[in-house]
Amino acid sequence: MNGDHLWSLFRVPISMQNAKDSFYLALRSRLAVINPQRTVLVRGALRPGILLEDAEAPVAQPPADVFVMHWGALGAETELPSAMVAMECEISYCTSGTQAFGGLDRGRSLTTMDRELIAILQPLSTPKVNYSVQPAAPMQTQVFWDEPTFPSINVQRDRVSRSARVMVYSYQEKGE
Amino acid sequence: MTDTTARSPVSAPQMIADALLRSVAGSSAQLRVTGASSDSSQSELGLIATTFSEVVISPVVMRKLRPAAKTGDASQWEMLVSATSVQAQVNALDLQSAQALFAMTLAVTMAGSDYLIESVASNEAFGKVYLYRLTLRETFQQAL
């Protein structure tokens, strides 16, 4: 997508909110099935171990052994019969290994999280749902995404981390 | 530091810690604790405003650990908190442990400034915690 198409964002009302919500909840549901043990205690509730960074309180450092989603660059293709919007999602995760191994298994733990992330991203699509109404209303199209890219590992003392990137696409529907 | 000597637990260390905190101008701090009813898809998506309650703990003492090295950096602080006060709030909120209370805390407010909890440590004597040490970091001001 080039700059001309990004500029078209200002001419056509475009929203990615339903796609973002659908993508997050799809990954959350898949993680609960693939690894029910990966959980996180947030605001007093035990939830699957994946968080939306912009929907949670700011923290001093990201929690370990949990996937944290962060939305980035936005683009749009409006020269199609239906406008298509794309947004980059960064999924960060870090681990210090397990206490039982004294942290010496942190490399293995990170590999496990790599594998889990690949698993929850399959299949590469999910139905788009409007969660801002009660009950949630299914929409006409799907949210779909590319294969993730995995940059190199970041090591900070006893903590290893990685930030995978996925480009998520969605067709604009009427009323969005 | 933990005293592992086999002696029956007494409240003396807690009373001494409280007295020492008060004697060095111990003040009070507020923990902004989230409501427990936040387990829904809509709250995870930021569609439902979470309820908060302010929990007051006292006496506490704060000291600066590390000043900001450059503009934009956040200073690090250590807050010494009375274990008696924490335990009273744990009982009042019907929580299982002090760790649960700190895990539900979004921010610590003292003298009008907000801080984020970076880590929690405790000091024990005779098998009982008499002091909690919270490492805090200043938050950036949020738009109202």
Side-chain angles (χ1 to χ4, degrees):
Chain A
M1 278 176 222
N2 59 34
D4 293 335
H5 297 141
L6 284 171
W7 180 78
S8 65
L9 278 171
F10 302 101
R11 290 185 296 178
V12 182
I14 278 172
S15 167
M16 192 76 183
Q17 193 58 59
N18 291 324
K20 286 163 65 182
D21 294 348
S22 305
F23 180 69
Y24 163 71
L25 285 173
L27 265 56
R28 173 190 175 277
S29 308
R30 292 174 188 181
L31 180 63
V33 173
I34 288 168
N35 185 2
Q37 277 75 48
R38 188 171 301 287
T39 54
V40 60
L41 185 69
V42 184
R43 291 182 272 144
L46 195 65
R47 295 168 16 186
I50 184 165
L51 300 174
L52 260 179
E53 187 190 52
D54 53 13
E56 300 299 341
V59 288
Q61 65 175 4
D65 303 302
V66 170
F67 297 102
V68 180
M69 286 172 54
H70 169 84
W71 289 99
L74 172 71
E77 173 65 83
T78 55
E79 290 173 12
L80 296 169
S82 180
M84 189 174 74
V85 193
M87 203 164 181
E88 190 179 54
C89 181
E90 187 179 296
I91 305 174
S92 308
Y93 45 101
C94 59
T95 181
S96 301
T98 59
Q99 213 168 18
F101 283 79
L104 301 181
D105 60 341
R106 56 188 181 276
R108 302 186 75 86
S109 296
L110 195 75
T111 305
T112 305
M113 295 190 81
D114 290 342
R115 201 171 54 232
E116 279 178 21
L117 182 59
I118 293 168
I120 63 176
L121 287 168
Q122 296 290 339
L124 301 170
S125 67
T126 189
K128 187 153 74 167
V129 179
N130 181 359
Y131 288 98
S132 61
V133 293
Q134 273 289 31
M139 300 179 81
Q140 303 294 316
T141 57
Q142 300 260 321
V143 180
F144 50 101
W145 51 90
D146 287 339
E147 295 277 353
T149 55
F150 291 89
S152 57
I153 293 170
N154 184 24
V155 181
Q156 194 180 22
R157 293 195 293 272
D158 62 334
R159 188 174 265 220
V160 287
S161 61
R162 198 197 302 272
S163 292
R165 287 169 190 271
V166 188
M167 190 60 88
V168 181
Y169 304 92
S170 163
Y171 284 106
Q172 194 71 17
E173 292 189 30
K174 268 189 179 173
E176 271 196 288
Chain B
M1 197 186 303
T2 304
D3 185 345
T4 54
T5 316
R7 275 179 272 191
S8 58
V10 291
S11 301
Q14 293 182 333
M15 293 165 72
I16 294 167
D18 287 1
L20 283 171
L21 288 173
R22 285 197 188 93
S23 68
V24 290
S27 181
S28 63
Q30 288 179 318
L31 306 183
R32 193 172 307 139
V33 179
T34 54
S37 58
S38 58
D39 188 18
S40 74
S41 299
Q42 291 208 322
S43 85
E44 289 177 37
L45 295 170
L47 283 166
I48 296 176
T50 306
T51 55
F52 302 102
S53 55
E54 301 283 346
V55 172
V56 179
I57 48 173
S58 170
V60 301
V61 166
M62 268 187 83
R63 66 188 182 107
K64 191 174 260 188
L65 287 183
R66 192 183 64 200
K70 56 186 178 193
T71 311
D73 273 3
S75 302
Q76 217 176 26
W77 298 77
E78 186 179 55
M79 179 180 272
L80 307 177
V81 185
S82 151
T84 323
S85 172
V86 170
Q87 192 55 47
Q89 296 298 348
V90 167
N91 295 340
L93 295 170
D94 198 20
L95 297 172
Q96 293 203 329
S97 64
Q99 292 301 327
L101 175 66
F102 295 129
M104 289 170 68
T105 302
L106 293 184
V108 180
T109 308
M110 187 161 180
S113 300
D114 284 352
Y115 303 86
L116 297 175
I117 299 176
E118 280 197 335
S119 65
V120 180
S122 60
N123 288 59
E124 293 178 24
F126 307 137
K128 285 184 86 172
V129 177
Y130 62 89
L131 190 76
Y132 287 98
R133 289 180 288 119
L134 311 184
T135 309
L136 305 176
R137 203 184 66 184
E138 285 173 335
T139 59
F140 294 105
Q141 288 297 315
Q142 292 181 344
L144 294 174

PDB file of all heavy atoms in Angstrom, chain B residues 114 141-144:
ATOM      1  N   ASP B 114       0.889   9.623  41.344  1.00  0.00           N
ATOM      2  CA  ASP B 114       0.622   8.209  41.086  1.00  0.00           C
ATOM      3  C   ASP B 114       1.925   7.465  40.774  1.00  0.00           C
ATOM      4  O   ASP B 114       2.810   7.997  40.102  1.00  0.00           O
ATOM      5  CB  ASP B 114      -0.328   8.060  39.894  1.00  0.00           C
ATOM      6  CG  ASP B 114      -1.755   8.389  40.282  1.00  0.00           C
ATOM      7  OD1 ASP B 114      -2.012   8.567  41.484  1.00  0.00           O
ATOM      8  OD2 ASP B 114      -2.600   8.466  39.379  1.00  0.00           O
ATOM      9  N   GLN B 141       1.880  11.578  33.503  1.00  0.00           N
ATOM     10  CA  GLN B 141       0.577  12.203  33.707  1.00  0.00           C
ATOM     11  C   GLN B 141      -0.374  11.821  32.574  1.00  0.00           C
ATOM     12  O   GLN B 141      -0.025  11.881  31.407  1.00  0.00           O
ATOM     13  CB  GLN B 141       0.722  13.734  33.745  1.00  0.00           C
ATOM     14  CG  GLN B 141       1.386  14.236  35.015  1.00  0.00           C
ATOM     15  CD  GLN B 141       0.566  13.924  36.258  1.00  0.00           C
ATOM     16  OE1 GLN B 141      -0.618  14.123  36.270  1.00  0.00           O
ATOM     17  NE2 GLN B 141       1.221  13.422  37.301  1.00  0.00           N
ATOM     18  N   GLN B 142      -1.593  11.394  32.967  1.00  0.00           N
ATOM     19  CA  GLN B 142      -2.580  11.033  31.948  1.00  0.00           C
ATOM     20  C   GLN B 142      -3.500  12.223  31.695  1.00  0.00           C
ATOM     21  O   GLN B 142      -3.770  13.007  32.587  1.00  0.00           O
ATOM     22  CB  GLN B 142      -3.408   9.854  32.424  1.00  0.00           C
ATOM     23  CG  GLN B 142      -2.582   8.578  32.512  1.00  0.00           C
ATOM     24  CD  GLN B 142      -3.403   7.406  32.963  1.00  0.00           C
ATOM     25  OE1 GLN B 142      -4.487   7.588  33.478  1.00  0.00           O
ATOM     26  NE2 GLN B 142      -2.889   6.224  32.771  1.00  0.00           N
ATOM     27  N   ALA B 143      -3.974  12.315  30.464  1.00  0.00           N
ATOM     28  CA  ALA B 143      -4.901  13.391  30.111  1.00  0.00           C
ATOM     29  C   ALA B 143      -6.230  13.162  30.809  1.00  0.00           C
ATOM     30  O   ALA B 143      -6.693  12.051  30.927  1.00  0.00           O
ATOM     31  CB  ALA B 143      -5.115  13.409  28.612  1.00  0.00           C
ATOM     32  N   LEU B 144      -6.822  14.236  31.307  1.00  0.00           N
ATOM     33  CA  LEU B 144      -8.107  14.098  32.007  1.00  0.00           C
ATOM     34  C   LEU B 144      -9.268  14.178  31.007  1.00  0.00           C
ATOM     35  O   LEU B 144      -9.179  14.827  30.009  1.00  0.00           O
ATOM     36  CB  LEU B 144      -8.228  15.213  33.047  1.00  0.00           C
ATOM     37  CG  LEU B 144      -7.224  15.145  34.196  1.00  0.00           C
ATOM     38  CD1 LEU B 144      -7.347  16.358  35.071  1.00  0.00           C
ATOM     39  CD2 LEU B 144      -7.408  13.890  35.029  1.00  0.00           C
TER      40      LEU B 144
END
